[in-house]
């Protein structure tokens, strides 16, 4: 029987960076949260360890080849084990779940999030691609089913935290901050020979490989710009980006009277995760505190979109609308994959994305099926273009 004083959480992608940090939050707040579902794609060993500790009702392993090993390990603990993408979209509809934390990487987060919303589950959103790909459909469904979408990205959480108490006061604009990644200040000539090892060394945040590469190329910030449009009902001209190397101000809101609110803190993803899971409460924590004396200077720079063209491509996709952001996202996922496989250079990634945006058919008012087909077609085209470059 459910404890009415606790929130029951499904964590999609529990073995990744966000998922493991979410479990840290839950571990420190066992009187407030219960883990109801854990899912992973390939990391069966860690998934089994997590399930043994938190004893969820259900576990899903995406890779069906790993099902027998996970089931054998968890059967003695009386934990239900399922596998595959269909199981993933089914378990989020479980009646016992209160909040679904979507910490899956990339496009894979879209369908489970849609199913969770249709089942009336509140969403703690750490998968920005869900709104990038199909923001119109996802936000409309959330409104229809009276579901809250609570942002987990540090930048969007910062905006969200700046809004309580403002009532109907309109936002003039928001300012998303970017660390600049490992290549801040470098020009194109300096990036011609960069390696994936260099690109994976983020100066401030510890994240998974895909989002770390996106941060290095500024695509992560571009995706956040598109996500912000749907979360906060803004247009492209109301969303600015500034490079803030210290990553202390996580983002800002400017109101019609010119006042600016900023949310600040040390770069620690457990803070926005905890805020989303506990909302509207703020739970006490023992996380390190920010001290102004340790940061006598906070600096800001204009992003270099001539060198880091992905940010400009994201704004282009946002202004174009329709399925263009879906094309951008799918092409980027293949570009990152090929870069990590040493089949594309760092500077070839935006070239691939731009070519796909120019060639994949544009649809002004897409349906969900259109988005699914667009994603498939874009991936095929991106792989074909890459293969031709290799030859």
């Amino acid at each position: 029987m459910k404890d009415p004083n606790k929130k029951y959480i499904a964590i999609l992608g529990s073995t990744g960076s966000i998922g493991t940090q979410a479990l840290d939050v839950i571990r420190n707040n066992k009187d407030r949260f219960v883990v109801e579902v854990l899912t992973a794609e390939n990391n069966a060993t860690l998934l089994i360890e997590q399930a043994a500790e938190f004893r969820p009702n259900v576990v899903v392993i995406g890779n069906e080849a790993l099902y027998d090993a996970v089931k054998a390990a968890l059967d003695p603990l009386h934990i239900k084990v399922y596998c595959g993408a269909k199981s993933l979209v089914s378990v989020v509809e479980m009646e016992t779940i209160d909040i679904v934390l979507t910490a899956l990487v990339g496009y894979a987060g879209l369908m489970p999030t849609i199913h969770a919303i249709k089942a009336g589950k509140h969403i703690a959103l750490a998968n920005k691609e869900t709104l990038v790909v199909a923001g119109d459909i996802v936000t409309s469904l959330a409104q229809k089913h009276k579901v809250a979408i609570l942002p987990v990205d540090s930048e969007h959480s910062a905006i969200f935290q700046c809004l309580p108490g403002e009532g109907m006061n309109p936002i003039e604009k928001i300012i998303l901050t970017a660390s600049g990644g490992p290549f801040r200040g470098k020009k194109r000539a300096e990036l011609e020979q960069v390696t994936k090892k260099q690109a994976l060394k983020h100066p401030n945040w510890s994240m998974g490989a895909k989002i770390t590469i996106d941060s290095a190329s500024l695509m992560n910030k571009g995706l956040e710009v598109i996500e912000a449009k749907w979360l906060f009902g803004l247009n492209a001209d109301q969303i600015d980006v500034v490079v803030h190397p210290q990553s202390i101000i996580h983002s800002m809101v400017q109101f019609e009277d010119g006042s600016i609110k900023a949310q600040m803190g040390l770069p620690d993803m457990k803070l926005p995760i905890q805020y989303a899971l506990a909302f509207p409460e703020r739970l006490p924590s023992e996380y390190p505190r920010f001290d102004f004396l340790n940061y006598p200077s906070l600096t800001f720079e204009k992003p270099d979109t001539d060198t880091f063209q992905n940010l400009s491509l994201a704004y282009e996709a946002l202004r174009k609308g329709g399925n263009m952001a879906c094309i951008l996202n799918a092409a980027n996922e293949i570009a990152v994959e090929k870069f990590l496989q040493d089949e594309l250079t760092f500077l070839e990634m935006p070239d691939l994305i731009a070519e796909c945006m120019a060639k994949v058919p544009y649809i002004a008012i897409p349906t969900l099926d259109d988005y699914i087909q667009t994603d498939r077609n874009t991936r095929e085209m991106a792989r074909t273009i890459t293969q031709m470059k290799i030859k």
Side-chain angles (χ1 to χ4, degrees):
M1 182 175 291
K2 284 186 68 174
D3 184 338
N5 298 313
K6 296 181 179 180
K7 292 182 179 180
Y8 286 66
I9 315 295
I11 303 179
L12 310 186
S14 66
T15 60
S17 175
I18 296 294
T20 53
Q21 291 179 86
L23 289 174
D24 284 340
V25 169
I26 293 170
R27 188 179 288 113
N28 293 329
N29 294 277
K30 291 183 177 179
D31 59 328
R32 306 301 297 271
F33 304 120
V34 174
V35 176
E36 185 69 0
V37 174
L38 294 175
T39 84
E41 182 62 27
N42 291 305
N43 195 341
T45 301
L46 181 54
L47 181 63
I48 291 166
E49 291 176 10
Q50 292 173 338
E53 177 182 357
F54 290 93
R55 302 298 175 93
N57 186 9
V58 171
V59 159
V60 178
I61 181 73
N63 185 340
E64 297 183 16
L66 300 172
Y67 169 76
D68 289 341
V70 176
K71 183 169 176 56
L74 297 182
D75 256 358
L77 303 179
H78 306 292
I79 296 171
K80 302 180 187 72
V81 179
Y82 302 107
C83 65
K86 289 184 178 179
S87 295
L88 189 62
V89 298
S90 296
V91 297
V92 296
E93 300 173 349
M94 287 169 49
E95 189 175 341
T96 49
I97 296 170
D98 297 311
I99 300 176
V100 175
L101 171 60
T102 58
L104 299 170
V105 177
Y107 175 83
L110 176 61
M111 294 310 297
T113 303
I114 286 177
H115 279 257
I117 291 172
K118 287 181 176 179
K121 312 303 178 185
H122 296 303
I123 306 297
L125 187 66
N127 173 260
K128 60 179 66 65
E129 291 86 353
T130 290
L131 290 181
V132 171
V133 170
D136 53 343
I137 290 174
V138 172
T139 52
S140 295
L141 283 172
Q143 188 174 23
K144 176 182 177 181
H145 294 279
K146 297 180 172 58
V147 163
I149 299 179
L150 305 162
V152 170
D153 269 348
S154 60
E155 295 82 0
H156 300 100
S157 177
I159 302 299
F160 187 59
Q161 292 183 56
C162 288
L163 295 179
E166 292 300 335
M168 299 301 291
N169 291 328
I171 296 172
E172 186 169 274
K173 71 175 180 179
I174 64 172
I175 304 161
L176 302 177
T177 56
S179 69
F183 305 134
R184 180 177 66 87
K186 294 188 181 299
K187 298 301 180 183
R188 288 184 65 83
E190 299 173 87
L191 298 178
E192 289 180 354
Q193 304 299 325
V194 299
T195 65
K196 61 187 178 187
K197 182 178 180 180
Q198 291 171 312
L200 287 167
K201 288 189 66 175
H202 195 281
N204 299 331
W205 296 94
S206 176
M207 306 175 290
K210 196 267 182 182
I211 191 172
T212 304
I213 299 301
D214 282 347
S215 180
S217 71
L218 282 195
M219 178 55 87
N220 190 51
K221 205 54 50 181
L223 299 179
E224 288 174 4
V225 166
I226 299 170
E227 183 184 10
K229 173 219 170 23
W230 297 109
L231 284 172
F232 305 111
L234 305 173
N235 60 52
D237 294 332
Q238 291 177 289
I239 307 169
D240 285 352
V241 172
V242 297
V243 175
H244 169 49
Q246 296 82 21
S247 296
I248 296 300
I249 294 179
H250 299 307
S251 279
M252 297 167 267
V253 181
Q254 181 172 303
F255 296 95
E256 285 191 326
D257 61 356
S259 296
I260 295 177
K261 281 187 177 180
Q263 189 269 330
M264 306 173 65
L266 293 172
D268 186 340
M269 280 305 301
K270 290 190 288 292
L271 290 170
I273 292 169
Q274 180 170 294
Y275 187 77
L277 294 182
F279 184 80
E281 295 181 75
R282 285 189 184 273
L283 302 183
S285 80
E286 297 181 359
Y287 306 140
R289 269 37 178 181
F290 171 72
D291 186 340
F292 278 95
L293 299 180
N294 292 331
Y295 292 84
S297 178
L298 299 179
T299 61
F300 305 91
E301 306 162 10
K302 183 179 180 180
D304 179 2
T305 52
D306 291 330
T307 300
F308 300 94
Q309 297 174 355
N310 280 344
L311 183 56
S312 294
L313 291 173
Y315 270 104
E316 179 185 332
L318 177 56
R319 290 190 168 95
K320 182 74 173 177
N323 67 336
M324 191 57 72
C326 180
I327 297 169
L328 171 97
N329 181 74
N332 178 64
E333 290 193 20
I334 299 302
V336 172
E337 173 190 303
K338 297 303 182 183
F339 173 69
L340 290 172
Q341 293 172 355
D342 298 316
E343 294 180 24
L344 281 180
T345 68
F346 188 81
L347 292 179
E348 286 174 335
M349 288 195 291
D351 294 340
L352 175 64
I353 296 163
E355 189 169 352
C356 288
M357 289 172 67
K359 291 182 176 179
V360 175
Y362 171 71
I363 303 171
I365 307 176
T367 64
L368 180 58
D369 285 342
D370 289 330
Y371 284 126
I372 293 169
Q373 189 62 45
T374 294
D375 179 82
R376 186 179 299 122
N377 291 345
T378 304
R379 289 170 191 271
E380 285 182 17
M381 179 173 289
R383 289 191 178 101
T384 299
I385 293 169
T386 304
Q387 193 61 38
M388 291 173 64
K389 287 181 183 293
I390 294 172
K391 289 180 179 178

